[in-house]
Amino acid sequence: MSNRLTVQQIGDKKKEGQKITMLTAYDYPMAAVIDKTGIDIILVGDSVANVVLGLESTRDVGMMEMLHHAKAVSRAVSHAVVVGDMPYESYQIGGDAPVDNAKRFIDEAGCDAVKLEWFEDCLAVTEKIVAAGIPVMGHVGLTPQTAEEFKVQGKNSVSAQAIVDQAKALEAKGCFSVVMECIPDRLAEMITKKLSIPTIGIGAGPYCDGQVLVTHDLVGLYDAFRPKFAKRYLEVGTMMAQGIEQFHQDVINGKFPSKEHSFSINDEELNKLNP
Ligand code: KIV
């Protein structure tokens, strides 16, 4: 845990002109594989709702599920910064609850930072969480927890200006980075040049300081919805199906298990038995 990158080092990467990589993970084995590759940030995203739990909306997961998955990821990660995605209604609420919930990601689940999606009161809540000493990653553009429609944001000057203003305000409130989801590439470029904190794009073109993908989209383990921006590098789902089908056939045909996968007992011991 102590060898993990820090949020300061993520900021330094922007200053040094190095790209930042971020992927989602929700369990121990996936996090372990990702961490070994040297990816900079692992997000325990609320996309777990869709790609792991088979739920329709990211609104359908709460603190209990997110902490459960974040704990598993934290156990596996020794290199990347682990970011816990705060679930719907864990921070869009008044009082001390947003800070208390953010603290649970750090203290109970071993995360290094939390991520919040933009909403009306986002700046006040971000300020409180940052003041409590917890690093915050912002999220602007398409914000699935509160979006009415899943479409590209900031296509006209009024909505684009709103996104610019939100990103700048999040930086001013102390966010260490900001995710920009589904916005035009040249708007993302403009914001990236304006901010001194890193921008991490998803469907925001090539000019961001870093890129994030949902790992299940990248490896081909989720087919219910294929976003245009998600490049598929592997067909793991197909590979798994081939292996499982082979197992099924081998058992039916008596090819598995063979001697190689069995344990032996010597004749003397076996002959003493009275079946
Ligand atoms: O939950 C998630 O996977 C996310 C990414 C899309 C950034 O928020």
Side-chain angles (χ1 to χ4, degrees):
M1 185 133 149
S2 53
N3 287 331
R4 286 185 191 168
L5 292 172
T6 62
V7 296
Q8 286 75 20
Q9 286 171 308
I10 298 298
D12 291 344
K13 285 195 167 230
K14 173 167 181 144
K15 291 185 196 111
E16 290 156 13
Q18 290 174 38
K19 287 277 188 186
I20 297 157
T21 52
M22 170 161 138
L23 284 176
T24 60
Y26 318 100
D27 59 32
Y28 182 93
M30 189 71 102
V33 169
I34 295 170
D35 199 44
K36 278 201 194 97
T37 67
I39 290 286
D40 299 309
I41 305 173
I42 295 182
L43 171 69
V44 188
D46 61 0
S47 48
V48 68
N50 313 114
V51 302
V52 172
L53 302 177
L55 296 165
E56 206 154 290
S57 166
T58 56
R59 279 195 280 257
D60 295 334
V61 283
M63 282 298 291
M64 206 179 76
E65 290 92 348
M66 292 308 298
L67 290 175
H68 174 77
H69 288 279
K71 285 179 195 176
V73 168
S74 285
R75 282 181 209 118
V77 177
S78 57
H79 166 77
V81 171
V82 178
V83 178
D85 210 2
M86 293 192 69
Y88 184 55
E89 289 186 335
S90 71
Y91 59 100
Q92 296 102 332
I93 40 176
D96 296 333
V99 175
D100 293 344
N101 285 330
K103 277 187 183 152
R104 294 189 70 190
F105 276 95
I106 310 295
D107 298 342
E108 290 174 37
C111 293
D112 305 297
V114 294
K115 178 169 82 60
L116 320 180
E117 292 184 10
W118 180 267
F119 75 107
E120 221 186 358
D121 258 342
C122 192
L123 295 176
V125 169
T126 300
E127 190 168 30
K128 280 189 204 165
I129 299 176
V130 171
I134 299 170
V136 175
M137 175 180 272
H139 184 154
V140 299
L142 179 64
T143 47
Q145 289 178 6
T146 48
E148 277 159 25
E149 230 186 313
F150 283 69
K151 59 175 194 187
V152 180
Q153 307 290 305
K155 294 271 279 182
N156 63 55
S157 59
V158 174
S159 59
Q161 185 62 51
I163 296 170
V164 173
D165 294 344
Q166 290 164 7
K168 282 165 60 181
L170 287 170
E171 171 169 37
K173 291 295 177 195
C175 282
F176 78 93
S177 61
V178 59
V179 167
M180 304 197 294
E181 179 165 353
C182 276
I183 63 170
D185 50 3
R186 288 190 296 160
L187 172 61
E189 181 182 27
M190 193 180 276
I191 296 171
T192 299
K193 283 186 176 154
K194 186 74 195 171
L195 299 192
S196 55
I197 56 169
T199 59
I200 315 282
I202 177 159
Y207 310 115
C208 302
D209 298 304
Q211 294 295 322
V212 54
L213 278 183
V214 169
T215 303
H216 287 59
D217 290 337
L218 181 161
V219 300
L221 256 185
Y222 183 68
D223 272 328
F225 176 62
R226 281 208 202 190
K228 169 184 155 97
F229 57 73
K231 181 169 173 185
R232 196 132 152 175
Y233 288 80
L234 288 172
E235 294 296 341
V236 167
T238 308
M239 286 166 65
M240 283 175 69
Q242 283 166 356
I244 291 163
E245 174 61 17
Q246 192 61 56
F247 162 80
H248 185 61
Q249 291 303 325
D250 282 359
V251 172
I252 290 171
N253 299 324
K255 287 191 183 162
F256 178 82
S258 63
K259 269 271 180 225
E260 185 195 345
H261 303 104
S262 306
F263 304 100
S264 63
I265 179 171
N266 62 37
D267 290 348
E268 195 188 338
E269 293 303 318
L270 195 67
N271 290 337
K272 288 182 200 163
L273 302 184
N274 186 13

